Amino acid sequence: MADSTRPANVSDPGEAIPSAGRLLFVAAGVVFWGWLLATWVNRWLGGPVVPVGEPFVAPGTVESALAALPLLSAYATDLAFVTRISPEIARGIWLTVVITVVSLAVGFFIAVPLAVARVYGRLTAYVSLVYTELLRGTPLLAQLFVLHFGLNMGQYVPVALSDVFARNVVWVAILGFVLNGAAYQAEYIRGAIESVEEGQLTAGRAIGLSKVETIYYVVLPQGLRYAIPSWTNEFVYLIKYSSLAAFITVPELYYRAFEIASDTFRYPMIFAVTGLAYLCLVLTATELMARVEDLVAIPGVGGDRER
Amino acid sequence: MSDADSNPDADANADADANDAAESGDRDYLRVADISKWYGDEQVLDDVSFEMDRGDVTVLIGPSGSGKSTMLRCVNRLAEAQEGEIFLDGEEVTAPDVDVDELRREVGMVFQDFNLFAHLTALDNVALGPRRVLDLSEAEADERAHAQLERVGLADQTDSYPAELSGGQKQRVGIARALAMEPKLMLFDEPTSALDPELIGEVLEVMHDLVADGMTMLVVTHEMSFARAVADEIVFLDEGRVVERGPPEQLFDNPEKERTARFLDRIASHD
């Protein structure tokens, strides 16, 4: 992120007139998320606006409307097709978003202790090291296969959780991404913790805080702020890596796209649209994290600090 | 240190210490006895001994690398002495079963590099210890922090972050942070060495006030005029050894050892 000029941050609309590019970016975001939310809500409520699985505008209407326009007439058929598949795409995005967010959030709570153990532990540092290298050093797809086909983890999903998704395999995918993502997150957080000055720990100990208390009250609040920019990488990666869940039959975005493609054989068009959807998700994630970084920024900690 | 009290093996020692303290009143409030320390093969402290009474100000001086800071850190166990003993208010600081966190509540420390908690405002820097170590309520801790910031003349900077403060202000917050724990003893590790010359005065002023308030202070500094003005005793360390100690007028004006005179000459030529 080009955040070296932190004071002129983009999250404060009062400070500067937004550029045209910025306006376009925001407008695209509103359209994307408006369409997504509307499609999801329509499905959850059993189709009060349009029947579930149908687009909000009939593909035929799109085609005839565009055919009348001089510049867009050549793409009328394609865009009508995109309109037709859009409800399935939105349905796939739902699982992609849920899997990513849940995996990232749960993984975070494993990653922090892993990182702390790595920096401040003795024996635990080795445990953390072995875990991290094992999970980072083997293919994620292989890990998912082991969890799903090898260990059949789906059978252990507790009853309370198995009602959340139509199929338990979603939980298996989340488990895989949690275990793997925690290892990557731990590396980002470890690097950030190590950049917190040694004197901070000494000062905490000197007023009588224990080592654990000092880490909790002094080191982590600073380290986690430093970690935000690199941690955003993991967010972005996970959005895209979550497509590997398709290989253990989780019907997320990539799975839906592949299904439609093998039905219609319109691979280039479908994967262009799918790619665009992933891009929108990734841009949302980076925008979100930039705002989080601004929100928690403290003078002298992160943001304007050289890394 | 209550661990030591509850340990039956330590009782004999504790009784002996109590007798010592009773006989001497405030004498030997801090007693450093034959402290030696090595980093690997290198000996950094060699049989260092000195005593302080309650309310005394002792200044450690000496060339860099002479072990002054290490000596200071042995008192609150940020550094561990391998030989010798240190007693504070009749209790052995260096005993292996001492709860170091409890010890550090009673010994405030001010650092050369300030080491303020970078993510906390001045008020929260000072209030963190009272809140989390002394378990005071949020309101009590804030009140205490306010009082200490006022004491160091920073009542108007409570909401500033360390990055927004000048070096002198940072160090005054550092002093307030240590004072908020209401320590028995304050350790100052070259508190003005990282400051621009024009900011040294405001920190020394606060330290003068503390002396006037009767605070017991062990200070490592190169500020010889401060040492001369407030110290009850000067301890000159060189190569980990106490070369000479005495009241400032004696040590500064009539040093007995040639090495002391040479060091003082060198310092003076820089003033």
Side-chain angles (χ1 to χ4, degrees):
Chain A
M1 273 171 294
D3 282 343
S4 52
T5 55
R6 171 115 332 241
N9 71 59
V10 288
S11 71
D12 192 345
E15 269 187 23
I17 300 160
S19 68
R22 179 80 200 157
L23 284 174
L24 203 65
F25 179 76
V26 171
V30 169
V31 168
F32 176 73
W33 282 100
W35 159 71
L36 264 186
L37 290 172
T39 312
W40 291 344
V41 170
N42 185 60
R43 171 174 285 275
W44 295 331
L45 299 180
V49 186
V50 289
V52 171
E54 294 289 320
F56 289 108
V57 185
T61 317
V62 173
E63 189 163 5
S64 47
L66 293 178
L69 297 171
L71 278 171
L72 291 171
S73 57
Y75 306 103
T77 322
D78 287 339
L79 290 171
F81 175 72
V82 170
T83 310
R84 186 152 65 78
I85 66 168
S86 67
E88 279 299 289
I89 296 289
R91 197 176 166 197
I93 292 176
W94 167 249
L95 263 192
T96 292
V97 169
V98 169
I99 290 172
T100 303
V101 170
V102 172
S103 303
L104 206 61
V106 177
F108 176 78
F109 287 100
I110 299 174
V112 171
L114 276 177
V116 168
R118 187 76 186 283
V119 179
Y120 296 108
R122 289 197 186 96
L123 185 64
T124 50
Y126 288 102
V127 175
S128 171
L129 177 71
V130 168
Y131 177 87
T132 308
E133 294 307 332
L134 189 69
L135 272 287
R136 289 198 314 159
T138 54
L140 178 51
L141 189 58
Q143 293 166 15
L144 290 176
F145 279 3
V146 167
L147 291 175
H148 180 58
F149 300 118
L151 302 173
N152 192 15
M153 291 303 285
Q155 62 185 318
Y156 304 116
V157 174
V159 181
L161 294 179
S162 66
D163 291 340
V164 178
F165 302 111
R167 297 177 50 216
N168 280 347
V169 72
V170 178
W171 285 114
V172 178
I174 289 176
L175 176 66
F177 295 135
V178 163
L179 294 178
N180 181 273
Y184 280 93
Q185 289 191 50
E187 280 299 283
Y188 292 126
I189 295 169
R190 174 177 73 94
I193 286 178
E194 281 173 347
S195 74
V196 174
E197 281 169 36
E198 180 76 33
Q200 296 286 311
L201 191 67
T202 312
R205 299 306 309 273
I207 58 168
L209 290 170
S210 70
K211 191 167 174 181
V212 172
E213 286 171 328
T214 308
I215 291 168
Y216 186 78
Y217 292 119
V218 178
V219 176
L220 283 180
Q222 297 178 41
L224 291 180
R225 283 182 168 85
Y226 295 146
I228 293 172
S230 55
W231 186 85
T232 303
N233 268 326
E234 180 56 17
F235 196 166
V236 166
Y237 281 136
L238 194 54
I239 290 171
K240 295 172 296 172
Y241 282 148
S242 69
S243 60
L244 291 176
F247 292 92
I248 57 168
T249 70
V250 174
E252 44 67 76
L253 176 53
Y254 185 82
Y255 184 94
R256 296 278 178 207
F258 199 80
E259 218 173 34
I260 302 164
S262 48
D263 281 350
T264 62
F265 293 104
R266 303 201 57 178
Y267 287 90
M269 175 54 78
I270 287 159
F271 283 106
V273 169
T274 305
L276 192 63
Y278 277 112
L279 180 63
C280 288
L281 293 179
V282 165
L283 290 177
T284 305
T286 50
E287 176 69 14
L288 192 72
M289 292 316 296
R291 279 168 188 254
V292 167
E293 199 183 354
D294 283 343
L295 199 69
V296 300
I298 286 174
V301 183
D304 52 359
R305 188 173 183 274
E306 279 182 17
R307 269 182 290 268
Chain B
M1 279 185 269
S2 59
D3 286 5
D5 292 343
S6 60
N7 183 343
D9 293 337
D11 271 355
N13 268 336
D15 284 347
D17 298 342
N19 287 338
D20 278 357
E23 279 165 23
S24 56
D26 279 350
R27 290 290 305 165
D28 296 355
Y29 190 59
L30 177 73
R31 185 153 66 85
V32 173
D34 305 323
I35 288 293
S36 292
K37 179 171 176 59
W38 289 261
Y39 285 123
D41 286 341
E42 192 194 352
Q43 186 162 15
V44 287
L45 293 173
D46 184 358
D47 265 346
V48 175
S49 300
F50 60 89
E51 304 82 34
M52 292 173 68
D53 293 346
R54 194 195 297 262
D56 264 7
V57 177
T58 295
V59 172
L60 299 179
I61 62 171
S64 64
S66 60
K68 311 179 296 282
S69 291
T70 306
M71 183 58 246
L72 207 63
R73 280 158 193 259
C74 285
V75 175
N76 69 350
R77 298 276 297 270
L78 282 177
E80 297 289 351
Q82 277 119 1
E83 281 175 17
E85 292 155 336
I86 298 173
F87 295 89
L88 174 62
D89 201 10
E91 296 189 70
E92 189 184 344
V93 167
T94 40
D97 57 353
V98 160
D99 179 342
V100 290
D101 293 333
E102 215 162 301
L103 162 69
R104 288 169 190 162
R105 286 173 207 186
E106 303 183 331
V107 181
M109 182 155 200
V110 175
F111 300 90
Q112 178 175 356
D113 300 325
F114 327 126
N115 289 345
L116 294 187
F117 304 127
H119 64 300
L120 296 178
T121 61
L123 186 81
D124 288 337
N125 258 281
V126 182
L128 184 67
R131 257 181 227 153
R132 303 302 179 194
V133 179
L134 304 180
D135 285 327
L136 297 187
S137 73
E138 209 76 350
E140 284 173 308
D142 284 1
E143 194 181 333
R144 192 185 276 201
H146 254 293
Q148 294 304 338
L149 284 173
E150 200 167 333
R151 187 171 175 185
V152 299
L154 288 173
D156 55 342
Q157 295 287 352
T158 53
D159 294 331
S160 301
Y161 286 99
E164 300 168 326
L165 298 172
S166 73
Q169 290 173 326
K170 279 183 202 170
Q171 194 55 294
R172 282 145 71 197
V173 174
I175 294 171
R177 176 173 69 180
L179 289 174
M181 302 298 287
E182 299 185 341
K184 290 178 168 178
L185 168 71
M186 285 280 280
L187 306 174
F188 290 85
D189 188 4
E190 304 202 28
T192 57
S193 297
L195 295 175
D196 290 337
E198 75 270 22
L199 301 176
I200 290 174
E202 62 189 75
V203 171
L204 291 181
E205 205 175 305
V206 168
M207 291 172 68
H208 271 287
D209 289 346
L210 290 183
V211 174
D213 290 347
M215 177 62 73
T216 312
M217 293 160 61
L218 180 57
V219 184
V220 172
T221 188
H222 295 296
E223 293 296 323
M224 294 304 158
S225 50
F226 173 80
R228 183 186 283 269
V230 303
D232 296 285
E233 184 171 67
I234 309 283
V235 177
F236 173 54
L237 279 177
D238 192 15
E239 291 175 351
R241 234 172 278 197
V242 177
V243 175
E244 185 170 356
R245 45 186 279 218
E249 48 279 7
Q250 179 206 312
L251 193 126
F252 283 133
D253 301 332
N254 292 303
E256 287 172 4
K257 298 276 167 44
E258 199 244 330
R259 209 156 14 141
T260 314
R262 241 189 305 146
F263 172 74
L264 291 172
D265 263 0
R266 230 177 32 236
I267 290 277
S269 64
H270 282 291
D271 275 348

